Amino acid sequence: LLCIMVLFTGCARIDTQYYGDRSNYVTATGTVSHIAYDEEETALYIGIAECPEGFSDTIFKLAGEGLAIAQENGIDEALHLGDEITFTAAPRYFGDGYVVPLAAIWVEDQYLLDFEQGYDGLMNWLS
């Protein structure tokens, strides 16, 4: 049990260090290929077709405060399959079965989540 606790504590520290470093974030553009909420509707998963090189996965996640802000800004109405979006994320993820968390997203000229709010929400979600 102690080994498992140490392992998870170490992973959480890596997550916080990596995602806490603003220089790790990049902005990219891609085409939406998948949109789905989890069963509890506490996270929104967005798949990106032809995802730019360097990202650990093609599935991205909005959760916590970032999701709430994006919903207030109309993500459910504004985001559709086939849309070209611009997004900001730190390209790596940690753990098996994990996805890349989004820190900003916009469609056309509409910010659904700006970086400052998204970054702050992600840091709160990780803590």
Side-chain angles (χ1 to χ4, degrees):
L1 182 60
L2 181 60
C3 290
I4 292 172
M5 288 174 46
V6 169
L7 176 66
F8 283 114
T9 301
C11 289
R13 190 173 3 182
I14 291 169
D15 284 0
T16 304
Q17 289 174 347
Y18 177 72
Y19 294 121
D21 184 349
R22 291 173 182 255
S23 70
N24 288 326
Y25 290 84
V26 296
T27 299
T29 301
T31 303
V32 176
S33 62
H34 173 83
I35 306 168
Y37 279 96
D38 64 359
E39 289 181 15
E40 296 83 25
E41 295 191 8
T42 58
L44 178 63
Y45 294 89
I46 303 168
I48 303 295
E50 301 172 15
C51 190
E53 191 173 319
F55 284 91
S56 296
D57 204 339
T58 61
I59 304 294
F60 297 83
K61 178 179 184 177
L62 273 174
E65 295 169 27
L67 175 60
I69 292 167
Q71 287 171 324
E72 288 173 16
N73 291 332
I75 194 167
D76 293 324
E77 296 80 28
L79 190 63
H80 305 95
L81 294 176
D83 284 351
E84 183 172 281
I85 64 168
T86 303
F87 59 94
T88 303
R92 294 179 50 204
Y93 67 85
F94 302 90
D96 186 29
Y98 199 57
V99 294
V100 180
L102 288 171
I105 182 172
W106 59 98
V107 177
E108 297 176 12
D109 293 336
Q110 182 182 0
Y111 264 101
L112 300 172
L113 178 64
D114 73 34
F115 179 75
E116 291 304 319
Q117 292 174 316
Y119 174 85
D120 291 344
L122 178 58
M123 292 297 97
N124 289 337
W125 183 67
L126 288 171
S127 61

PDB file of all heavy atoms in Angstrom, residues 26-32 48 79 83-89 102-113:
ATOM      1  N   VAL A  26       1.668  24.760 -26.136  1.00  0.00           N
ATOM      2  CA  VAL A  26       1.748  25.150 -27.539  1.00  0.00           C
ATOM      3  C   VAL A  26       0.328  25.365 -28.068  1.00  0.00           C
ATOM      4  O   VAL A  26      -0.631  24.781 -27.571  1.00  0.00           O
ATOM      5  CB  VAL A  26       2.476  24.093 -28.402  1.00  0.00           C
ATOM      6  CG1 VAL A  26       3.918  23.948 -27.970  1.00  0.00           C
ATOM      7  CG2 VAL A  26       1.772  22.759 -28.349  1.00  0.00           C
ATOM      8  N   THR A  27       0.227  26.191 -29.075  1.00  0.00           N
ATOM      9  CA  THR A  27      -1.054  26.441 -29.726  1.00  0.00           C
ATOM     10  C   THR A  27      -1.026  25.769 -31.087  1.00  0.00           C
ATOM     11  O   THR A  27      -0.032  25.866 -31.810  1.00  0.00           O
ATOM     12  CB  THR A  27      -1.303  27.956 -29.857  1.00  0.00           C
ATOM     13  OG1 THR A  27      -1.339  28.512 -28.542  1.00  0.00           O
ATOM     14  CG2 THR A  27      -2.617  28.238 -30.565  1.00  0.00           C
ATOM     15  N   ALA A  28      -2.086  25.056 -31.395  1.00  0.00           N
ATOM     16  CA  ALA A  28      -2.163  24.296 -32.645  1.00  0.00           C
ATOM     17  C   ALA A  28      -3.580  24.383 -33.203  1.00  0.00           C
ATOM     18  O   ALA A  28      -4.503  24.838 -32.532  1.00  0.00           O
ATOM     19  CB  ALA A  28      -1.786  22.841 -32.392  1.00  0.00           C
ATOM     20  N   THR A  29      -3.718  23.914 -34.427  1.00  0.00           N
ATOM     21  CA  THR A  29      -5.008  23.890 -35.101  1.00  0.00           C
ATOM     22  C   THR A  29      -5.293  22.477 -35.566  1.00  0.00           C
ATOM     23  O   THR A  29      -4.373  21.745 -35.955  1.00  0.00           O
ATOM     24  CB  THR A  29      -4.986  24.838 -36.318  1.00  0.00           C
ATOM     25  OG1 THR A  29      -4.676  26.152 -35.849  1.00  0.00           O
ATOM     26  CG2 THR A  29      -6.322  24.882 -37.031  1.00  0.00           C
ATOM     27  N   GLY A  30      -6.546  22.066 -35.491  1.00  0.00           N
ATOM     28  CA  GLY A  30      -6.941  20.737 -35.945  1.00  0.00           C
ATOM     29  C   GLY A  30      -8.425  20.673 -36.233  1.00  0.00           C
ATOM     30  O   GLY A  30      -9.173  21.613 -35.936  1.00  0.00           O
ATOM     31  N   THR A  31      -8.842  19.552 -36.807  1.00  0.00           N
ATOM     32  CA  THR A  31     -10.236  19.338 -37.167  1.00  0.00           C
ATOM     33  C   THR A  31     -10.885  18.398 -36.162  1.00  0.00           C
ATOM     34  O   THR A  31     -10.347  17.327 -35.862  1.00  0.00           O
ATOM     35  CB  THR A  31     -10.328  18.743 -38.584  1.00  0.00           C
ATOM     36  OG1 THR A  31      -9.671  19.631 -39.484  1.00  0.00           O
ATOM     37  CG2 THR A  31     -11.769  18.564 -39.017  1.00  0.00           C
ATOM     38  N   VAL A  32     -12.039  18.779 -35.660  1.00  0.00           N
ATOM     39  CA  VAL A  32     -12.748  17.988 -34.657  1.00  0.00           C
ATOM     40  C   VAL A  32     -13.280  16.701 -35.302  1.00  0.00           C
ATOM     41  O   VAL A  32     -14.031  16.743 -36.267  1.00  0.00           O
ATOM     42  CB  VAL A  32     -13.908  18.792 -34.039  1.00  0.00           C
ATOM     43  CG1 VAL A  32     -14.704  17.928 -33.066  1.00  0.00           C
ATOM     44  CG2 VAL A  32     -13.381  20.039 -33.353  1.00  0.00           C
ATOM     45  N   ILE A  48      -9.140  15.110 -32.247  1.00  0.00           N
ATOM     46  CA  ILE A  48      -8.623  15.963 -33.316  1.00  0.00           C
ATOM     47  C   ILE A  48      -8.047  15.077 -34.423  1.00  0.00           C
ATOM     48  O   ILE A  48      -7.099  14.321 -34.190  1.00  0.00           O
ATOM     49  CB  ILE A  48      -7.523  16.922 -32.802  1.00  0.00           C
ATOM     50  CG1 ILE A  48      -8.042  17.783 -31.655  1.00  0.00           C
ATOM     51  CG2 ILE A  48      -6.962  17.770 -33.940  1.00  0.00           C
ATOM     52  CD1 ILE A  48      -9.138  18.751 -32.029  1.00  0.00           C
ATOM     53  N   LEU A  79     -19.381  24.078 -31.026  1.00  0.00           N
ATOM     54  CA  LEU A  79     -18.430  23.053 -31.461  1.00  0.00           C
ATOM     55  C   LEU A  79     -19.151  21.906 -32.163  1.00  0.00           C
ATOM     56  O   LEU A  79     -20.094  21.332 -31.622  1.00  0.00           O
ATOM     57  CB  LEU A  79     -17.661  22.516 -30.250  1.00  0.00           C
ATOM     58  CG  LEU A  79     -16.474  21.625 -30.534  1.00  0.00           C
ATOM     59  CD1 LEU A  79     -15.395  22.385 -31.293  1.00  0.00           C
ATOM     60  CD2 LEU A  79     -15.902  21.084 -29.231  1.00  0.00           C
ATOM     61  N   ASP A  83     -15.427  20.836 -37.516  1.00  0.00           N
ATOM     62  CA  ASP A  83     -14.959  22.211 -37.305  1.00  0.00           C
ATOM     63  C   ASP A  83     -13.443  22.240 -37.183  1.00  0.00           C
ATOM     64  O   ASP A  83     -12.841  21.357 -36.579  1.00  0.00           O
ATOM     65  CB  ASP A  83     -15.526  22.805 -36.002  1.00  0.00           C
ATOM     66  CG  ASP A  83     -16.969  23.211 -36.106  1.00  0.00           C
ATOM     67  OD1 ASP A  83     -17.519  23.209 -37.227  1.00  0.00           O
ATOM     68  OD2 ASP A  83     -17.557  23.525 -35.046  1.00  0.00           O
ATOM     69  N   GLU A  84     -12.852  23.280 -37.719  1.00  0.00           N
ATOM     70  CA  GLU A  84     -11.437  23.522 -37.474  1.00  0.00           C
ATOM     71  C   GLU A  84     -11.352  24.388 -36.229  1.00  0.00           C
ATOM     72  O   GLU A  84     -12.016  25.430 -36.156  1.00  0.00           O
ATOM     73  CB  GLU A  84     -10.777  24.213 -38.653  1.00  0.00           C
ATOM     74  CG  GLU A  84      -9.278  24.386 -38.422  1.00  0.00           C
ATOM     75  CD  GLU A  84      -8.548  24.896 -39.637  1.00  0.00           C
ATOM     76  OE1 GLU A  84      -8.274  24.084 -40.536  1.00  0.00           O
ATOM     77  OE2 GLU A  84      -8.276  26.104 -39.666  1.00  0.00           O
ATOM     78  N   ILE A  85     -10.571  23.935 -35.257  1.00  0.00           N
ATOM     79  CA  ILE A  85     -10.428  24.671 -34.006  1.00  0.00           C
ATOM     80  C   ILE A  85      -8.959  25.008 -33.785  1.00  0.00           C
ATOM     81  O   ILE A  85      -8.069  24.374 -34.347  1.00  0.00           O
ATOM     82  CB  ILE A  85     -10.968  23.887 -32.789  1.00  0.00           C
ATOM     83  CG1 ILE A  85     -10.166  22.600 -32.557  1.00  0.00           C
ATOM     84  CG2 ILE A  85     -12.451  23.593 -32.940  1.00  0.00           C
ATOM     85  CD1 ILE A  85     -10.442  21.928 -31.224  1.00  0.00           C
ATOM     86  N   THR A  86      -8.756  25.994 -32.972  1.00  0.00           N
ATOM     87  CA  THR A  86      -7.420  26.311 -32.479  1.00  0.00           C
ATOM     88  C   THR A  86      -7.456  26.041 -30.983  1.00  0.00           C
ATOM     89  O   THR A  86      -8.433  26.364 -30.312  1.00  0.00           O
ATOM     90  CB  THR A  86      -7.064  27.778 -32.781  1.00  0.00           C
ATOM     91  OG1 THR A  86      -7.175  27.982 -34.192  1.00  0.00           O
ATOM     92  CG2 THR A  86      -5.654  28.104 -32.339  1.00  0.00           C
ATOM     93  N   PHE A  87      -6.406  25.432 -30.482  1.00  0.00           N
ATOM     94  CA  PHE A  87      -6.377  25.045 -29.074  1.00  0.00           C
ATOM     95  C   PHE A  87      -4.974  25.210 -28.522  1.00  0.00           C
ATOM     96  O   PHE A  87      -3.990  25.232 -29.266  1.00  0.00           O
ATOM     97  CB  PHE A  87      -6.874  23.608 -28.897  1.00  0.00           C
ATOM     98  CG  PHE A  87      -6.072  22.585 -29.652  1.00  0.00           C
ATOM     99  CD1 PHE A  87      -5.027  21.914 -29.047  1.00  0.00           C
ATOM    100  CD2 PHE A  87      -6.368  22.286 -30.974  1.00  0.00           C
ATOM    101  CE1 PHE A  87      -4.282  20.974 -29.747  1.00  0.00           C
ATOM    102  CE2 PHE A  87      -5.641  21.356 -31.687  1.00  0.00           C
ATOM    103  CZ  PHE A  87      -4.588  20.690 -31.068  1.00  0.00           C
ATOM    104  N   THR A  88      -4.898  25.320 -27.214  1.00  0.00           N
ATOM    105  CA  THR A  88      -3.621  25.400 -26.515  1.00  0.00           C
ATOM    106  C   THR A  88      -3.589  24.299 -25.469  1.00  0.00           C
ATOM    107  O   THR A  88      -4.545  24.126 -24.705  1.00  0.00           O
ATOM    108  CB  THR A  88      -3.443  26.779 -25.847  1.00  0.00           C
ATOM    109  OG1 THR A  88      -3.555  27.788 -26.845  1.00  0.00           O
ATOM    110  CG2 THR A  88      -2.087  26.890 -25.161  1.00  0.00           C
ATOM    111  N   ALA A  89      -2.482  23.554 -25.471  1.00  0.00           N
ATOM    112  CA  ALA A  89      -2.311  22.451 -24.531  1.00  0.00           C
ATOM    113  C   ALA A  89      -0.826  22.165 -24.374  1.00  0.00           C
ATOM    114  O   ALA A  89      -0.029  22.475 -25.254  1.00  0.00           O
ATOM    115  CB  ALA A  89      -3.035  21.199 -25.036  1.00  0.00           C
ATOM    116  N   LEU A 102      -6.845  20.336 -22.159  1.00  0.00           N
ATOM    117  CA  LEU A 102      -6.858  21.601 -22.888  1.00  0.00           C
ATOM    118  C   LEU A 102      -6.764  22.775 -21.925  1.00  0.00           C
ATOM    119  O   LEU A 102      -7.369  22.767 -20.851  1.00  0.00           O
ATOM    120  CB  LEU A 102      -8.149  21.737 -23.692  1.00  0.00           C
ATOM    121  CG  LEU A 102      -8.276  20.853 -24.918  1.00  0.00           C
ATOM    122  CD1 LEU A 102      -9.679  20.941 -25.491  1.00  0.00           C
ATOM    123  CD2 LEU A 102      -7.245  21.238 -25.966  1.00  0.00           C
ATOM    124  N   ALA A 103      -6.028  23.808 -22.345  1.00  0.00           N
ATOM    125  CA  ALA A 103      -5.942  25.033 -21.561  1.00  0.00           C
ATOM    126  C   ALA A 103      -6.632  26.189 -22.263  1.00  0.00           C
ATOM    127  O   ALA A 103      -6.919  27.208 -21.632  1.00  0.00           O
ATOM    128  CB  ALA A 103      -4.484  25.380 -21.279  1.00  0.00           C
ATOM    129  N   ALA A 104      -6.890  26.059 -23.566  1.00  0.00           N
ATOM    130  CA  ALA A 104      -7.615  27.099 -24.310  1.00  0.00           C
ATOM    131  C   ALA A 104      -8.196  26.463 -25.557  1.00  0.00           C
ATOM    132  O   ALA A 104      -7.636  25.504 -26.096  1.00  0.00           O
ATOM    133  CB  ALA A 104      -6.687  28.247 -24.686  1.00  0.00           C
ATOM    134  N   ILE A 105      -9.321  27.004 -26.003  1.00  0.00           N
ATOM    135  CA  ILE A 105      -9.946  26.519 -27.234  1.00  0.00           C
ATOM    136  C   ILE A 105     -10.771  27.639 -27.839  1.00  0.00           C
ATOM    137  O   ILE A 105     -11.437  28.389 -27.124  1.00  0.00           O
ATOM    138  CB  ILE A 105     -10.814  25.260 -26.977  1.00  0.00           C
ATOM    139  CG1 ILE A 105     -11.410  24.735 -28.284  1.00  0.00           C
ATOM    140  CG2 ILE A 105     -11.856  25.504 -25.934  1.00  0.00           C
ATOM    141  CD1 ILE A 105     -12.108  23.390 -28.151  1.00  0.00           C
ATOM    142  N   TRP A 106     -10.685  27.765 -29.154  1.00  0.00           N
ATOM    143  CA  TRP A 106     -11.557  28.680 -29.857  1.00  0.00           C
ATOM    144  C   TRP A 106     -11.915  28.131 -31.220  1.00  0.00           C
ATOM    145  O   TRP A 106     -11.195  27.350 -31.800  1.00  0.00           O
ATOM    146  CB  TRP A 106     -11.007  30.100 -29.933  1.00  0.00           C
ATOM    147  CG  TRP A 106      -9.691  30.360 -30.588  1.00  0.00           C
ATOM    148  CD1 TRP A 106      -9.490  30.797 -31.847  1.00  0.00           C
ATOM    149  CD2 TRP A 106      -8.395  30.243 -30.010  1.00  0.00           C
ATOM    150  NE1 TRP A 106      -8.154  30.960 -32.090  1.00  0.00           N
ATOM    151  CE2 TRP A 106      -7.460  30.626 -30.977  1.00  0.00           C
ATOM    152  CE3 TRP A 106      -7.933  29.847 -28.748  1.00  0.00           C
ATOM    153  CZ2 TRP A 106      -6.085  30.620 -30.744  1.00  0.00           C
ATOM    154  CZ3 TRP A 106      -6.570  29.840 -28.516  1.00  0.00           C
ATOM    155  CH2 TRP A 106      -5.670  30.224 -29.503  1.00  0.00           C
ATOM    156  N   VAL A 107     -13.117  28.520 -31.655  1.00  0.00           N
ATOM    157  CA  VAL A 107     -13.663  28.121 -32.949  1.00  0.00           C
ATOM    158  C   VAL A 107     -13.903  29.403 -33.732  1.00  0.00           C
ATOM    159  O   VAL A 107     -14.557  30.321 -33.217  1.00  0.00           O
ATOM    160  CB  VAL A 107     -14.987  27.346 -32.788  1.00  0.00           C
ATOM    161  CG1 VAL A 107     -15.581  26.998 -34.139  1.00  0.00           C
ATOM    162  CG2 VAL A 107     -14.796  26.106 -31.939  1.00  0.00           C
ATOM    163  N   GLU A 108     -13.377  29.465 -34.948  1.00  0.00           N
ATOM    164  CA  GLU A 108     -13.457  30.680 -35.762  1.00  0.00           C
ATOM    165  C   GLU A 108     -12.918  31.837 -34.934  1.00  0.00           C
ATOM    166  O   GLU A 108     -11.787  31.784 -34.495  1.00  0.00           O
ATOM    167  CB  GLU A 108     -14.872  30.892 -36.287  1.00  0.00           C
ATOM    168  CG  GLU A 108     -15.333  29.793 -37.219  1.00  0.00           C
ATOM    169  CD  GLU A 108     -16.763  29.945 -37.674  1.00  0.00           C
ATOM    170  OE1 GLU A 108     -17.361  31.014 -37.471  1.00  0.00           O
ATOM    171  OE2 GLU A 108     -17.274  28.974 -38.252  1.00  0.00           O
ATOM    172  N   ASP A 109     -13.693  32.840 -34.670  1.00  0.00           N
ATOM    173  CA  ASP A 109     -13.225  33.990 -33.876  1.00  0.00           C
ATOM    174  C   ASP A 109     -13.793  33.973 -32.465  1.00  0.00           C
ATOM    175  O   ASP A 109     -13.714  34.974 -31.766  1.00  0.00           O
ATOM    176  CB  ASP A 109     -13.618  35.299 -34.569  1.00  0.00           C
ATOM    177  CG  ASP A 109     -12.874  35.496 -35.869  1.00  0.00           C
ATOM    178  OD1 ASP A 109     -11.776  34.921 -36.015  1.00  0.00           O
ATOM    179  OD2 ASP A 109     -13.391  36.208 -36.749  1.00  0.00           O
ATOM    180  N   GLN A 110     -14.369  32.875 -32.046  1.00  0.00           N
ATOM    181  CA  GLN A 110     -15.025  32.803 -30.736  1.00  0.00           C
ATOM    182  C   GLN A 110     -14.166  32.034 -29.743  1.00  0.00           C
ATOM    183  O   GLN A 110     -13.958  30.830 -29.887  1.00  0.00           O
ATOM    184  CB  GLN A 110     -16.388  32.126 -30.868  1.00  0.00           C
ATOM    185  CG  GLN A 110     -17.137  32.052 -29.570  1.00  0.00           C
ATOM    186  CD  GLN A 110     -18.477  31.335 -29.705  1.00  0.00           C
ATOM    187  OE1 GLN A 110     -18.855  30.890 -30.773  1.00  0.00           O
ATOM    188  NE2 GLN A 110     -19.193  31.233 -28.599  1.00  0.00           N
ATOM    189  N   TYR A 111     -13.647  32.747 -28.729  1.00  0.00           N
ATOM    190  CA  TYR A 111     -12.941  32.080 -27.634  1.00  0.00           C
ATOM    191  C   TYR A 111     -13.967  31.352 -26.781  1.00  0.00           C
ATOM    192  O   TYR A 111     -14.898  31.966 -26.265  1.00  0.00           O
ATOM    193  CB  TYR A 111     -12.215  33.092 -26.745  1.00  0.00           C
ATOM    194  CG  TYR A 111     -10.760  33.265 -27.090  1.00  0.00           C
ATOM    195  CD1 TYR A 111     -10.338  34.348 -27.833  1.00  0.00           C
ATOM    196  CD2 TYR A 111      -9.813  32.348 -26.661  1.00  0.00           C
ATOM    197  CE1 TYR A 111      -9.010  34.517 -28.144  1.00  0.00           C
ATOM    198  CE2 TYR A 111      -8.482  32.516 -26.969  1.00  0.00           C
ATOM    199  CZ  TYR A 111      -8.084  33.596 -27.710  1.00  0.00           C
ATOM    200  OH  TYR A 111      -6.761  33.750 -28.022  1.00  0.00           O
ATOM    201  N   LEU A 112     -13.787  30.071 -26.630  1.00  0.00           N
ATOM    202  CA  LEU A 112     -14.647  29.302 -25.737  1.00  0.00           C
ATOM    203  C   LEU A 112     -13.987  29.169 -24.365  1.00  0.00           C
ATOM    204  O   LEU A 112     -14.666  29.040 -23.352  1.00  0.00           O
ATOM    205  CB  LEU A 112     -14.917  27.928 -26.342  1.00  0.00           C
ATOM    206  CG  LEU A 112     -15.614  27.976 -27.703  1.00  0.00           C
ATOM    207  CD1 LEU A 112     -15.674  26.597 -28.330  1.00  0.00           C
ATOM    208  CD2 LEU A 112     -16.998  28.586 -27.579  1.00  0.00           C
ATOM    209  N   LEU A 113     -12.667  29.215 -24.362  1.00  0.00           N
ATOM    210  CA  LEU A 113     -11.888  29.193 -23.123  1.00  0.00           C
ATOM    211  C   LEU A 113     -10.553  29.853 -23.429  1.00  0.00           C
ATOM    212  O   LEU A 113      -9.802  29.363 -24.270  1.00  0.00           O
ATOM    213  CB  LEU A 113     -11.669  27.756 -22.642  1.00  0.00           C
ATOM    214  CG  LEU A 113     -10.821  27.571 -21.387  1.00  0.00           C
ATOM    215  CD1 LEU A 113     -11.499  28.199 -20.163  1.00  0.00           C
ATOM    216  CD2 LEU A 113     -10.547  26.088 -21.136  1.00  0.00           C
TER     217      LEU A 113
END
